[in-house]
Amino acid sequence: MYSGYNKKIIYVFSAVLMVALMAPCGVIADDWHQFHGPNRDRISNETGWRTNWSDDDPKVLWKKSIGIGFSSMSIVGDRVFTMGNTNNQETVWCFDVKTGEKVWSHTYDCELFPKNHEGGPGGTPTIDNESVYTVSKEGYMYCLDVKTGKVKWEKDLKKEFDAKMPTWRFALSPLLEGDRLVLDVGLAVVLNKKTGDLIWKSANYGSAYSSPIAFDFNGKRCFAIVPAFGLVVLDASSGKEIGKFKWETRYDVNAATPLVMGNKFFLSSGYKKGGSMVEMSADGEIKELWHNPLMRNHMNATIFWKDYLYGFDEGKLKCINAKTGADVWEQRGLGKGSLMLADGKLIILSEKGELVVAEANGAAFKPLCRKQVLSGRCWTVPVLANGNIYCRNAAGDFICLDVSKK
């Protein structure tokens, strides 16, 4: 006879084995349920995906037209979610990841607002097992049923929280933190995810375009935001200000989500601002450790991996030393691209739609494979999830590529 303890072990092992058998062959993967992934660091735990494209190009499983915009993709289970704008109407889309067939969509009036670029939404849907959370370009927040797309609750963030719409309008993606949603609309706003009720709000530091991130510091859960003022660190439970660091940019374009490494933060902005590593002490004082004037993340944030920072300095991909800020290497020809990381490899989408996989290598740029997958302007971060890479351009061409090992 098995003891209760042994039975429990057998049950857990069986459950883990079943999950493994259901996954694509050779792939270990996580869902990508929000902007920049589970930890908002643009790093995936996925392994076992294919980079030998010279032998067999990745197949385009499906292609959709989703409307103009720069919204990235969130993937949970067999569903992928994104946003776009057509004829001054914004749409939240839900597609089947295998077929690309529409599961549901939710559309509402929203101006395209093509100021210095094509326009359309810049935020990305955030997903849990019951709901989809989005913020429109004009600052309307929607909580939608994940299965049907029906509206559960909605808010006008400008009116309710006296949030000023920034020059290029809102581009934020809600942060899911347990049973709460965290927003940066110039002030940090924390809502009950089921009801939309306010839990707390911070002082107003001026609207920009970044999205919040959660982390642990001195035994406390904290949120970091980068509004127009600069870096602000807040106590997650109360909203009390722990520390702040002034980081002003021309036109208030703080767009890149802050990169958190323990008690250190990497901040970067375009318009000749550059990048800085800052450190917060136990009493909340934040000091600059170094500044690199030529690591200017105009829109897309930098990745930290094994002592190095990888990101786009305006139109160049660069690697810099995280400890000193010294330049290590740069690669031209990719424009103002975007990137994520998985299994020690950079997944890069160039501004002109070339998909490149390269080693995350602190010595040199070492591409493994590359393929032209889209045309037009591409500023949106590509996403690898469950053996597929999802890419889009500003015009709304949205593709799913199979990179799983057969």
Side-chain angles (χ1 to χ4, degrees):
M1 296 291 292
Y2 291 115
S3 68
Y5 179 74
N6 286 337
K7 287 180 178 178
K8 186 174 181 179
I9 290 176
I10 292 169
Y11 173 78
V12 171
F13 175 78
S14 299
V16 172
L17 180 61
M18 183 60 71
V19 170
L21 290 173
M22 291 172 66
C25 182
V27 173
I28 299 175
D30 288 331
D31 284 333
W32 194 267
H33 74 281
Q34 62 181 353
F35 181 59
H36 285 174
N39 300 313
R40 288 218 158 167
D41 57 5
R42 295 154 298 285
I43 296 175
S44 168
N45 292 325
E46 186 152 339
T47 61
W49 49 285
R50 189 168 60 83
T51 58
N52 58 333
W53 297 359
S54 58
D55 299 333
D56 183 18
D57 272 358
K59 178 183 178 182
V60 177
L61 295 180
W62 48 262
K63 180 177 180 179
K64 293 291 176 180
S65 180
I66 57 174
I68 294 169
F70 299 92
S71 175
S72 190
M73 295 66 66
S74 296
I75 297 93
V76 175
D78 60 355
R79 299 288 184 263
V80 54
F81 305 83
T82 189
M83 300 167 66
N85 187 303
T86 303
N87 298 325
N88 289 310
Q89 287 191 313
E90 208 165 87
T91 297
V92 182
W93 297 97
C94 173
F95 297 106
D96 183 286
V97 300
K98 294 180 180 178
T99 66
E101 292 300 314
K102 184 182 81 171
V103 178
W104 56 258
S105 62
H106 174 67
T107 300
Y108 46 86
D109 292 337
C110 185
E111 186 181 355
L112 179 65
F113 198 69
K115 181 180 175 65
N116 304 121
H117 56 62
E118 290 82 352
T124 299
T126 299
I127 320 298
D128 69 11
N129 59 353
E130 296 180 347
S131 303
V132 177
Y133 307 96
T134 65
V135 177
S136 78
K137 195 175 185 73
E138 295 180 341
Y140 289 89
M141 183 168 191
Y142 296 92
C143 172
L144 309 173
D145 185 277
V146 74
K147 294 180 179 179
T148 66
K150 292 182 66 174
V151 177
K152 292 183 174 183
W153 54 261
E154 58 186 281
K155 283 182 177 293
D156 181 344
L157 299 176
K158 305 186 302 301
K159 182 178 180 180
E160 186 159 345
F161 301 113
D162 195 25
K164 182 181 178 182
M165 195 147 57
T167 301
W168 281 271
R169 305 197 173 178
F170 291 105
L172 71 123
S173 304
L175 170 67
L176 184 62
E177 178 75 5
D179 61 357
R180 299 178 296 167
L181 294 166
V182 190
L183 313 172
D184 176 6
V185 289
L187 61 157
V189 175
V190 177
L191 306 175
N192 181 299
K193 73 175 187 178
K194 290 186 178 293
T195 64
D197 292 339
L198 177 67
I199 296 174
W200 59 256
K201 63 180 180 179
S202 74
N204 197 323
Y205 301 95
S207 297
Y209 310 91
S210 179
S211 293
I213 188 168
F215 66 101
D216 294 316
F217 175 74
N218 270 3
K220 287 185 177 181
R221 194 65 169 165
C222 301
F223 299 138
I225 58 174
V226 185
F229 168 85
L231 173 66
V232 180
V233 178
L234 302 165
D235 185 294
S237 61
S238 66
K240 180 182 177 182
E241 185 182 289
I242 295 174
K244 61 183 179 181
F245 181 82
K246 197 169 186 178
W247 182 264
E248 293 181 322
T249 306
R250 290 174 63 193
Y251 314 114
D252 292 333
V253 181
N254 288 332
T257 299
L259 181 58
V260 183
M261 296 157 285
N263 67 331
K264 295 183 177 68
F265 306 83
F266 180 69
L267 309 173
S268 184
S269 300
Y271 297 98
K272 300 182 180 181
K273 181 68 174 179
S276 286
M277 186 72 74
V278 301
E279 184 176 45
M280 185 166 69
S281 64
D283 62 3
E285 183 181 10
I286 302 177
K287 292 184 177 181
E288 185 177 78
L289 300 178
W290 55 257
H291 178 75
N292 184 326
L294 296 178
M295 185 52 146
R296 299 160 294 180
N297 294 164
H298 189 175
M299 296 154 295
N300 290 304
T302 289
I303 293 171
F304 172 67
W305 182 252
K306 294 185 176 180
D307 299 326
Y308 295 96
L309 298 170
Y310 301 89
F312 277 89
D313 168 37
E314 295 290 356
K316 296 173 289 186
L317 176 64
K318 292 187 74 171
C319 171
I320 64 177
N321 186 301
K323 293 180 180 179
T324 66
D327 287 343
V328 178
W329 56 257
E330 68 176 47
Q331 178 65 30
R332 296 174 181 267
L334 298 169
K336 290 186 180 184
S338 58
L339 73 167
M340 65 167 289
L341 184 144
D343 198 20
K345 303 176 184 68
L346 301 173
I347 301 172
I348 305 156
L349 185 63
S350 80
E351 186 172 19
K352 293 184 178 180
E354 184 183 25
L355 185 63
V356 182
V357 178
E359 292 181 13
N361 190 306
F365 178 66
K366 294 188 176 182
L368 300 171
C369 52
R370 55 204 313 160
K371 177 181 174 64
Q372 191 72 35
V373 297
L374 289 168
S375 59
R377 195 198 307 265
C378 300
W379 283 348
T380 300
V381 179
V383 174
L384 167 71
N386 302 303
N388 295 331
I389 295 180
Y390 301 87
C391 305
R392 70 164 296 168
N393 62 16
D397 298 319
F398 177 35
I399 62 171
C400 173
L401 295 142
D402 180 6
V403 293
S404 63
K405 289 184 177 178
K406 302 298 188 287

